[in-house]
Amino acid sequence: MKDVFELPQWLTLEEVQEITSIVETWEPVPFKPNYGRWPGELISIQSWHQWNDNDQLGKLLKERIHQALGNNIVVVETNYQQLYLPWDIHADLDREIKGVMPWYTIIIPLENYASRTIVFDQISPGYNDFYKYKQQHNKAISPVDLDFWNSNLSHCWDEDRQYLSLKYVGRDWRQGDAMCFNRKLIHSSDSFHTRGIGPKKFLQILVDLV
């Protein structure tokens, strides 16, 4: 299985509308960190849901997830996000609920956006925070091109570029598509906020191997 792949038109418009009606009933939790690039600012409104194979969302997505990622998996996080400012560079490894081994992140855009997810070659040994990676690793041999960085990752710390090389640049988010990538891969939102885009509404699902 590829470390990163996309599934165009994974869901129909009707299915996206059904999912949207489900996730909008979940309790919203604003995220305003006191650290990073946006201290004190609203980055995201997140709504977590305990996965259940037999509820409305589970019945809609369970078989498709297994078809995409295999049968020996368990969903460990389901999170509806309204993203106002871009997530900085990170991995999706460390979570409270765990299977045997972190496996894949699935991102499902619920609307269309001229915005992309950017995945890097670098692999996290077991944590989410990129500053820890920089403390323990050398700079990249072929770092991200400066023009690409300034156009797409201007929200990230300038020094981070020296530690990263591009693995995959996703296509523009399209309603009902899915993007899947290994949770150990370091990745980032693009700087969509500089183009007047947002909030970006999407469903994020994390799975583990069991």
Side-chain angles (χ1 to χ4, degrees):
M1 187 181 300
K2 294 181 179 180
D3 280 342
V4 188
F5 59 94
E6 296 187 76
L7 300 168
Q9 299 179 331
W10 197 50
L11 300 172
T12 66
L13 176 59
E14 291 74 19
E15 289 168 332
V16 171
Q17 291 172 340
E18 182 179 355
I19 289 174
T20 300
S21 68
I22 294 170
V23 300
E24 287 181 345
T25 67
W26 300 349
E27 181 180 357
V29 180
F31 179 65
K32 296 181 178 181
N34 56 7
Y35 55 86
R37 293 296 265 178
W38 319 110
E41 296 190 47
L42 176 64
I43 292 182
S44 177
I45 296 176
Q46 304 182 76
S47 303
W48 285 274
H49 173 71
Q50 181 65 49
W51 180 266
N52 183 339
D53 285 348
N54 298 311
D55 67 12
Q56 187 178 0
L57 184 68
K59 290 177 180 178
L60 181 60
L61 292 180
K62 175 185 174 182
E63 292 305 319
R64 296 192 194 198
I65 293 173
H66 284 297
Q67 289 170 6
L69 299 175
N71 290 319
N72 297 320
I73 58 174
V74 60
V75 174
V76 296
E77 182 176 292
T78 313
N79 183 7
Y80 166 52
Q81 294 197 40
Q82 302 172 69
L83 192 63
Y84 290 81
L85 291 169
W87 290 120
D88 201 349
I89 296 163
H90 65 283
D92 291 335
L93 279 179
D94 188 22
R95 291 297 191 272
E96 291 184 7
I97 301 174
K98 295 179 175 65
V100 174
M101 184 177 74
W103 192 226
Y104 275 78
T105 295
I106 307 170
I107 294 175
I108 306 170
L110 300 180
E111 295 181 7
N112 297 327
Y113 304 99
S115 175
R116 303 174 293 177
T117 300
I118 299 169
V119 183
F120 304 101
D121 291 309
Q122 285 64 36
I123 294 171
S124 171
Y127 39 73
N128 299 329
D129 298 321
F130 187 61
Y131 77 87
K132 296 179 181 178
Y133 179 92
K134 290 189 295 182
Q135 292 172 349
Q136 300 175 10
H137 294 79
N138 295 324
K139 294 180 179 180
I141 296 173
S142 300
V144 177
D145 175 78
L146 181 58
D147 288 340
F148 180 90
W149 185 271
N150 289 337
S151 297
N152 297 279
L153 294 159
S154 61
H155 62 289
C156 301
W157 302 107
D158 290 340
E159 69 173 41
D160 290 356
R161 183 180 72 87
Q162 297 295 329
Y163 292 84
L164 296 164
S165 54
L166 284 179
K167 181 180 185 68
Y168 190 94
V169 180
R171 52 189 261 161
D172 281 355
W173 279 21
R174 288 294 173 262
Q175 188 178 52
D177 287 0
M179 182 175 185
C180 306
F181 51 87
N182 196 298
R183 287 171 53 194
K184 65 185 179 184
L185 288 170
I186 292 170
H187 58 281
S188 177
S189 307
D190 69 1
S191 48
F192 62 86
H193 66 303
T194 63
R195 303 189 299 278
I197 298 170
K200 289 167 53 176
K201 299 179 181 181
F202 63 99
L203 183 64
Q204 176 175 286
I205 299 173
L206 304 186
V207 304
D208 273 17
L209 288 177
V210 293

